[in-house]
Amino acid sequence: MNNQQKKEYLSQYRVLVGQVEDIRCQLLELRELAVRTSPLLTTGRTGGGPNIHRLERAVEQLEDARERLAQKLEQAMGWRKDIEQLLDSVQDERHRRLLVHRYLLGQTWQQAAESLCMDERWLRRLHEKALAQLEIPVCDD
């Protein structure tokens, strides 16, 4: 596996974290919609009308989003565990810390350089060396 493929492999966790965040935002939006719809049902209107259906749809969408969130969280946590184990195998402490800051914490080059008290250009060079040392098992599908 070349360094570019290693980067893509390690980046999958951050992709999943982004998807989890997207679903979390959807949940908040749907919850807000359900809260806005609920008071309309207690205003004394009779016959149910469209507000009942709106609330039912919002609740269904909310449950669907919760299920998707739980699945994505489980998937993200699995990736994180795999990547943590992989990074634990890196012998050089600086390399390991760099990879953690980039791929688990999702820091930019500048943030990682500041956190690790290193020059950003040096950090990028060190990153290539760290990736070269990383042994990612290849799955044959």
Side-chain angles (χ1 to χ4, degrees), residues 6-99:
K6 291 176 183 181
K7 289 177 197 177
E8 290 169 10
Y9 178 87
L10 293 170
S11 295
Q12 284 302 305
Y13 170 68
R14 296 308 308 172
V15 168
L16 288 168
V17 168
Q19 292 172 352
V20 165
E21 183 60 22
D22 291 346
I23 296 170
R24 190 189 67 76
C25 289
Q26 290 172 8
L27 267 170
L28 291 173
E29 184 180 317
L30 290 169
R31 192 174 294 138
E32 186 64 31
L33 176 64
V35 168
R36 284 194 314 258
T37 303
S38 297
L40 296 175
L41 298 175
T42 60
T43 60
R45 292 184 181 172
T46 58
N51 290 327
I52 292 281
H53 298 297
R54 224 172 122 192
L55 182 60
E56 288 174 355
R57 279 193 310 271
V59 169
E60 287 171 4
Q61 290 173 344
L62 194 57
E63 286 303 313
D64 179 54
R66 281 186 184 147
E67 285 179 27
R68 286 185 293 123
L69 180 61
Q71 290 170 354
K72 282 293 177 189
L73 275 171
E74 187 174 329
Q75 190 179 6
M77 295 311 293
W79 268 97
R80 182 179 180 96
K81 181 181 176 187
D82 291 348
I83 290 173
E84 284 175 342
Q85 289 175 346
L86 184 63
L87 298 183
D88 283 344
S89 71
V90 175
Q91 297 299 313
D92 187 298
E93 179 66 22
R94 290 180 313 160
H95 292 169
R96 184 174 40 258
R97 290 186 66 217
L98 163 59
L99 295 171

Side-chain angles (χ1 to χ4, degrees), residues 87-133:
L87 298 183
D88 283 344
S89 71
V90 175
Q91 297 299 313
D92 187 298
E93 179 66 22
R94 290 180 313 160
H95 292 169
R96 184 174 40 258
R97 290 186 66 217
L98 163 59
L99 295 171
V100 165
H101 282 263
R102 283 292 292 161
Y103 296 104
L104 290 180
L105 301 179
Q107 291 183 339
T108 64
W109 287 111
Q110 183 178 1
Q111 291 168 330
E114 289 173 11
S115 296
L116 298 169
C117 300
M118 292 184 189
D119 177 70
E120 187 177 328
R121 287 181 293 176
W122 173 245
L123 194 69
R124 288 176 185 263
R125 283 189 217 112
L126 196 61
H127 178 255
E128 290 302 314
K129 291 178 183 180
L131 288 175
Q133 289 183 358

